[in-house]
Amino acid sequence: MRVINLKDKQSASEHVATEIVKLIISKPNLVLGLATGGTMINLYQYLVDLINANNLDLKDVVTFNLDEYVGLSSEDKRSYHEYMQERLFKYNDSWNDNNIHIPNGVGPNLQVEAFNYENQLEQCGPIDLQLLGIGENGHIGFNEPGTPFNSQTRVVNLTPSTIQANSKHFDDINDVPIQAVSMGLSSIMRANHIILLAFGENKINAVKRLLQGDVSPELPASILHQHKNVDVYVDDVIYNKLK
Ligand code: GLP
C-alpha cells in the first residue's frame, strides 16, 4: 500500500483525474469503479474538464458504482444515481448508458438485483481502476465494520455512525436511508488497481487505523493490505498526523 500526500484535496483530485484520463486514452474500453461522497466531488470536476479538453470518446468506457441507498429512486436528488449524473455523466454525450452500472435501490427484490449486479461485474471485469473513499468508521463502499472479507454485492444495514455522518447530505437525519446496496469487499478486491482518497480532519482517525492498525473486519478498509496495488492519497491535514 503506497501513501501519497499531494498537499491538499485539489492537487490530489487533479492528479488522479489526470491518471484516469491517461488510462482512458490508452484503453478506450477501460472498466472504472466509481465512488460517491463529498471526497470525490473535486475529482469529478477535474475529470469532466479533462475529458472535454481532450475530446475523449467514452462510448466504450464501462463504469460500476460501488453503492446506492435503498429506497431512493434514480431521480431522487439525494440518490447516488443523481449524484453521478450531476457530477459526471451529464457533461459529456459520449457516455454510453448501456455501459454505466449503478446498483438499483428501489424494487421488490433487491437481493436478486444485487446478485445480478455481482454477475455483471464478473462478466465485464475485472475493474481496471477502482476509486474509493473511506467512511469515518473505516467502511469502503457501504461495507460497515464487521463485514466479512468474502462479501459480495448485497443489501446492507447502515450503522448509526454512518447515518449520522451522511446526514450532512440530507435535510433531516430521519431522511437518511437505513439500508444500501453495496458491492462487497471481495468485489472491490478483484480490481487490478485501487485508489483510495481521504482528506480532512474527519478522516484522520480512519486513515490512522488503516495504516497503523490490524487487518480486521472491524476496519473494513484494512482488507486493502491484502491487495498488491493500492494507492492512498491524503492531504497535509491527515499526513501530518501520521508521523
Ligand atoms: C459514503 C459512501 C462511501 C464514501 C463515504 C465517505 O458512506 N458509501 O463510498 O466513501 O460515504 O463519504 P464522504 O466522501 O462524503 O466523506
Side-chain angles (χ1 to χ4, degrees):
M1 184 178 286
R2 294 168 290 265
V3 180
I4 302 160
N5 172 24
L6 296 182
K7 184 170 167 284
D8 57 25
K9 183 177 180 171
Q10 282 70 26
S11 328
S13 302
E14 186 171 17
H15 178 83
V16 174
T18 308
E19 289 302 304
I20 295 171
V21 165
K22 283 190 206 158
L23 287 174
I24 297 173
I25 291 170
S26 65
K27 185 181 178 196
N29 61 347
L30 191 77
V31 184
L32 198 51
L34 298 174
T36 52
T39 307
M40 299 293 153
I41 291 176
N42 289 59
L43 190 158
Y44 291 138
Q45 281 168 348
Y46 285 115
L47 191 55
V48 163
D49 289 347
L50 287 167
I51 280 171
N52 292 335
N54 288 278
N55 244 321
L56 294 193
D57 183 347
L58 304 164
K59 71 175 187 318
D60 295 324
V61 175
V62 176
T63 68
F64 279 88
N65 264 76
L66 281 169
D67 45 21
E68 178 59 283
Y69 287 111
V70 167
L72 300 190
S73 75
S74 56
E75 292 87 40
D76 192 306
K77 289 265 166 280
R78 304 157 304 176
S79 71
Y80 288 159
H81 277 79
E82 184 70 14
Y83 173 108
M84 291 310 304
Q85 276 306 322
E86 289 301 310
R87 306 280 177 201
L88 182 63
F89 297 133
K90 80 172 187 188
Y91 299 99
N92 192 290
D93 289 339
S94 70
W95 289 107
N96 179 348
D97 284 345
N98 296 325
N99 288 339
I100 290 173
H101 305 87
I102 305 177
N104 177 20
V106 184
N109 206 335
L110 294 182
Q111 287 294 8
V112 171
E113 291 201 42
F115 182 79
N116 294 339
Y117 194 81
E118 187 74 29
N119 283 341
Q120 277 186 308
L121 189 55
E122 283 280 358
Q123 279 159 22
C124 301
I127 285 175
D128 293 295
L129 173 63
Q130 174 68 58
L131 298 176
L132 290 180
I134 186 168
E136 290 172 30
N137 63 1
H139 72 216
I140 49 177
F142 268 130
N143 295 290
E144 298 281 40
T147 299
F149 280 1
N150 64 359
S151 51
Q152 300 198 328
T153 309
R154 72 225 178 280
V155 177
V156 298
N157 295 324
L158 304 183
T159 60
S161 77
T162 293
I163 292 170
Q164 176 66 48
N166 289 7
S167 65
K168 60 179 182 281
H169 304 296
F170 292 78
D171 291 339
D172 188 308
I173 191 165
N174 295 312
D175 295 340
V176 185
I178 56 171
Q179 288 188 310
V181 179
S182 178
M183 272 167 58
L185 294 173
S186 78
S187 335
I188 292 170
M189 288 291 279
R190 291 200 304 275
N192 289 329
H193 181 195
I194 296 174
I195 290 183
L196 184 147
L197 304 178
F199 310 117
E201 201 78 30
N202 290 349
K203 301 296 170 72
I204 292 172
N205 194 30
V207 175
K208 259 191 139 165
R209 288 176 67 204
L210 169 62
L211 300 178
Q212 298 168 358
D214 295 337
V215 174
S216 149
E218 283 319 300
L219 191 86
S222 67
I223 194 176
L224 299 175
H225 285 289
Q226 296 175 354
H227 193 286
K228 289 197 175 67
N229 194 7
V230 178
D231 296 316
V232 177
Y233 284 83
V234 296
D235 58 4
D236 276 344
V237 177
I238 295 178
Y239 196 75
N240 292 335
K241 288 279 164 53
L242 298 176
K243 292 166 191 161

